Amino acid sequence: MPLNRQIIITHYRHVLDVPLADRKALSSDAIASTEEMPRTPNLMNSTPTPPPDEELVEEDSGLITMLWSLSVSSFAIGGMIASFFGGWLGDQLGRIKAMLIANILSLAGALLMGFSKMGPSHILIISGRAVSGLYCGLISGLVPMYIGEIAPTTLRGAIGALHQLAIVTGILISQIVGLDFILGNRELWHILLGLSAVPAVLQSLLLFFCPESPRYLYIKLDEENKAKKSLKRLRGGVDVTKDIAEMRKERSEASSEQKVSIIQLFTNSSYRQPILVSLMLHMAQQFSGINGIFYYSTSIFQTAGLSQPVYATIGVGAINTVFTALSVFLVEKAGRRSLFLIGMSGMFVCAVFMSVGLVLLNKFAWMSYVSMVAIFLFVSFFEIGPGPIPWFMVAEFFSQGPRPAALAIAAFSNWTCNFIVALCFPYIAEFCGPYVFFLFAGVVLAFTLFTYFKVPETKGKSFEEIAAEFRKRGGSARPRKAATEMKFLGAAETA
C-alpha cells in the first residue's frame, strides 16, 4: 500500500515531539516548494519568545526527512537483499511451497505496519516496509517463474505481461483505497498499511489448489509421472505428450550447458558485455525519474497548482495501467530495442517540458497544465518501453547456463537503483527545486544514446545471433560456446 506522505510525517513529528518551528518548515513538501521556506516560527501569543536554536531546528528537519526517506526506501532494501534468493528458494522447496513461505513475510510486514500506531511508529513502519520488501524480492522472481513454467508455450509472453498488468492494477486499487475519505486519513492510515496482508492471505489460500510446476518436477526432480499429472490438471485432460517431449529436450539442453556464477559473468569475455548492457538497461529504468514521479507525484501535482493533487496521482496510476495493457500487445509485435528507444526518447522530451512547466509556474499559471500533461505522457512512454522491456532483454541475452545468475544480478541492480532513488530523491529535489527533472532529462538522454550504440535487437534471434551482435558492437571475435535457439523463450521467464 502506498504511504500517505503528509499524514505519516505529521505522525512522526508527534511521536518524536519535533519543535513547532520544524513543523512549520516541513508543512510544504520539499519538491513542492518553489519559494524560500520560512525559518522563523509564528508567535503563539503576545509575549515575545526567543527563536529556537536554528541548528537544532535544522537537525530535527533533517531527521524527519531521513525517516520518511527510510520509510520509502526500506522496501527497496528488503527487495534488494531477497532478489538473490528467489530462484534458490524455488529450487529447494518447489514453486508452491516457496511462495507460501514468502507469504509469511508479507503477513509479518503487514502486522508491523498495521499496529504501528500503537508503538514507535517510525520504527514499526520502516521495519514493516523492509520485511514487505523481502517478500516482494522473493515473490517477484517466484511468481513469474511459476507462470512461465505452467503456461503453454504460445501464451508465455502474453501471460507474463499480464502478470505485470496485475501488479499495476493492484497499485491503482491501493491508490483509490488510500483516498482520505476511505482509509487515507489520520484515523485509519495504519489499517491501510495493514491491508497489504489481504492479497497474501488470498494467494496462500488459492495456492493449495494450484499444481506444482511440471517443469520443476521433471527437470529439477526427475519426477516424470508427477509432472504428467500436474500437466493434465493444468491442460484439462488434453494430451500432454508434446509438453513432456519439450521438457525432455529442455532438460537435455540444460544438462549439457554448465551453470555460470555471477563472478564468471564479469570475468568471462563472452558474457561481460551482455551483463554490462543488462545492468545499464535496469539502471536506465530506475534512474529515469519514474520513481520520483510514483513516490512523490502528489507533491509534484501540488506544486503544479492542483487543489486536489491526489486525484491526479490516481490518474497517473490509471494511465500506468492502460499503457501496461497496451505493452502486452506491443512487446510481442515490435522490436525490444525499438520500443525501448521510443520510450526513452519520449521520456526525455516529457522531462524537459515537465521542468519548464514547474520553473515558469509562478509566471504563467497555465504552465501547470504543461507539467501535468508531461507527467501523464512520461508514464505512458515508460510503460511502452523502459518499464517491462529490460526483463525481456536480459533473459534473451543469455542461454540456460548463465541466465539464472544474469537475472539475479539484474534484479539486484534494479532493486539497488530503486533504493538509491527512493533515499536520495527528497534531498536532490530540495536542492534542485523545480529544476530536478532537468537532471533526469540529462540522465535519460545519456541512457538513450547508450541504448542506440550498444544494445542489439533481440526479437526473433538466436543466442548465437545475439552474441554476434555483441561481438560486432564490442569489437570482439570470440564466439560463445552455446548457441541455443530461443524457440521456447517466453516473456514470463524473465523474472
Side-chain angles (χ1 to χ4, degrees):
M1 294 290 177
L3 295 175
N4 188 309
R5 178 184 174 94
Q6 281 300 98
I7 289 176
I8 293 180
I9 282 183
T10 301
H11 191 75
Y12 283 176
R13 296 177 201 155
H14 172 73
V15 171
L16 297 173
D17 194 24
V18 174
L20 180 63
D22 183 46
R23 297 181 189 184
K24 179 172 178 62
L26 287 172
S27 61
S28 297
D29 292 333
I31 63 173
S33 177
T34 56
E35 300 178 357
E36 181 67 20
M37 290 193 295
R39 295 297 182 184
T40 57
N42 290 331
L43 296 179
M44 298 301 295
N45 50 52
S46 59
T47 304
T49 56
D53 184 88
E54 296 217 1
E55 290 185 1
L56 178 59
V57 171
E58 186 175 346
E59 182 179 342
D60 289 335
S61 173
L63 174 63
I64 296 296
T65 302
M66 181 192 70
L67 289 175
W68 170 255
S69 295
L70 285 175
S71 299
V72 176
S73 59
S74 58
F75 180 80
I77 296 175
M80 185 171 55
I81 295 171
S83 60
F84 275 116
F85 301 102
W88 175 83
L89 189 65
D91 285 345
Q92 294 297 314
L93 302 178
R95 303 341 184 197
I96 300 296
K97 290 181 181 179
M99 285 188 281
L100 286 170
I101 294 297
N103 281 332
I104 295 175
L105 293 174
S106 178
L107 292 173
L111 288 174
L112 286 170
M113 293 186 290
F115 289 101
S116 59
K117 209 171 183 181
M118 302 172 62
S121 300
H122 54 296
I123 296 176
L124 291 175
I125 289 176
I126 293 172
S127 301
R129 291 274 294 174
V131 173
S132 297
L134 289 172
Y135 158 75
C136 285
L138 292 175
I139 214 74
S140 61
L142 289 170
V143 170
M145 182 191 304
Y146 178 70
I147 291 174
E149 290 176 348
I150 67 173
T153 302
T154 55
L155 297 177
R156 284 182 192 171
I159 293 178
L162 287 175
H163 168 247
Q164 176 67 15
L165 178 61
I167 292 175
V168 297
T169 302
I171 293 173
L172 176 61
I173 293 172
S174 69
Q175 289 174 326
I176 295 173
V177 176
L179 289 170
D180 57 359
F181 61 86
I182 303 179
L183 292 178
N185 51 61
R186 298 180 189 277
E187 291 76 30
L188 301 175
W189 61 265
H190 59 294
I191 297 178
L192 172 65
L193 298 183
L195 281 180
S196 58
V198 173
V201 171
L202 180 61
Q203 185 191 59
S204 297
L205 294 175
L206 293 176
L207 282 174
F208 287 106
F209 301 95
C210 296
E212 181 55 87
S213 162
R215 273 182 163 75
Y216 169 76
L217 292 172
Y218 186 76
I219 297 175
K220 294 290 183 182
L221 302 184
D222 195 22
E223 297 279 359
E224 183 172 345
N225 290 331
K226 290 183 178 180
K228 287 181 179 179
K229 291 180 181 179
S230 179
L231 273 172
K232 289 178 181 179
R233 286 183 62 188
L234 289 166
R235 303 292 188 263
V238 177
D239 182 30
V240 297
T241 304
K242 183 178 179 181
D243 295 276
I244 292 294
E246 178 185 327
M247 286 189 289
R248 187 176 291 114
K249 178 181 178 181
E250 185 176 342
R251 184 185 179 199
S252 175
E253 291 174 350
S255 62
S256 64
E257 187 176 21
Q258 293 183 349
K259 290 186 177 181
V260 177
S261 68
I262 291 176
I263 295 177
Q264 288 174 312
L265 290 175
F266 295 94
T267 58
N268 189 315
S269 59
S270 298
Y271 306 123
R272 188 180 303 122
Q273 189 175 2
I275 193 61
L276 291 178
V277 169
S278 300
L279 296 181
M280 290 294 283
L281 289 175
H282 281 278
M283 290 173 64
Q285 182 195 80
Q286 293 297 324
F287 289 151
S288 64
I290 191 66
N291 282 334
I293 290 177
F294 286 156
Y295 287 144
Y296 303 99
S297 55
T298 299
S299 299
I300 293 174
F301 284 121
Q302 190 175 13
T303 300
L306 286 185
S307 58
Q308 295 290 335
V310 66
Y311 294 105
T313 302
I314 292 175
V316 172
I319 293 292
N320 190 32
T321 303
V322 169
F323 278 86
T324 302
L326 181 62
S327 71
V328 172
F329 304 98
L330 292 178
V331 167
E332 296 300 324
K333 294 180 180 297
R336 279 68 156 138
R337 179 176 179 271
S338 300
L339 284 179
F340 196 91
L341 284 171
I342 291 171
M344 292 293 284
S345 300
M347 290 166 67
F348 167 73
V349 174
C350 291
V352 171
F353 276 97
M354 196 185 311
S355 284
V356 169
L358 293 174
V359 169
L360 299 179
L361 180 61
N362 290 334
K363 294 183 179 180
F364 307 101
W366 54 270
M367 278 292 175
S368 62
Y369 299 103
V370 173
S371 295
M372 287 186 288
V373 171
I375 288 174
F376 285 119
L377 290 176
F378 188 97
V379 172
S380 302
F381 279 113
F382 176 81
E383 289 301 342
I384 286 175
I389 285 178
W391 300 102
F392 286 89
M393 297 194 80
V394 173
E396 292 172 341
F397 288 163
F398 299 94
S399 54
Q400 185 68 31
R403 190 186 301 154
L407 289 172
I409 193 64
F412 176 78
S413 170
N414 193 285
W415 280 101
T416 301
C417 295
N418 185 301
F419 164 72
I420 293 171
V421 172
L423 184 64
C424 298
F425 185 81
Y427 301 100
I428 297 173
E430 187 173 6
F431 178 78
C432 297
Y435 298 91
V436 63
F437 283 98
F438 278 128
L439 174 63
F440 285 117
V443 172
V444 169
L445 178 61
F447 280 120
T448 302
L449 293 174
F450 175 86
T451 302
Y452 182 80
F453 289 107
K454 292 293 184 180
V455 179
E457 181 58 75
T458 59
K459 180 177 180 291
K461 294 183 179 180
S462 68
F463 291 113
E464 181 59 29
E465 289 171 333
I466 295 171
E469 284 287 332
F470 275 117
R471 292 195 298 270
K472 179 180 177 181
R473 293 171 185 272
S476 171
R478 182 179 176 179
R480 275 202 204 161
K481 294 181 181 179
T484 306
E485 291 292 329
M486 292 164 32
K487 181 177 180 181
F488 302 112
L489 181 61
E493 291 176 294
T494 63

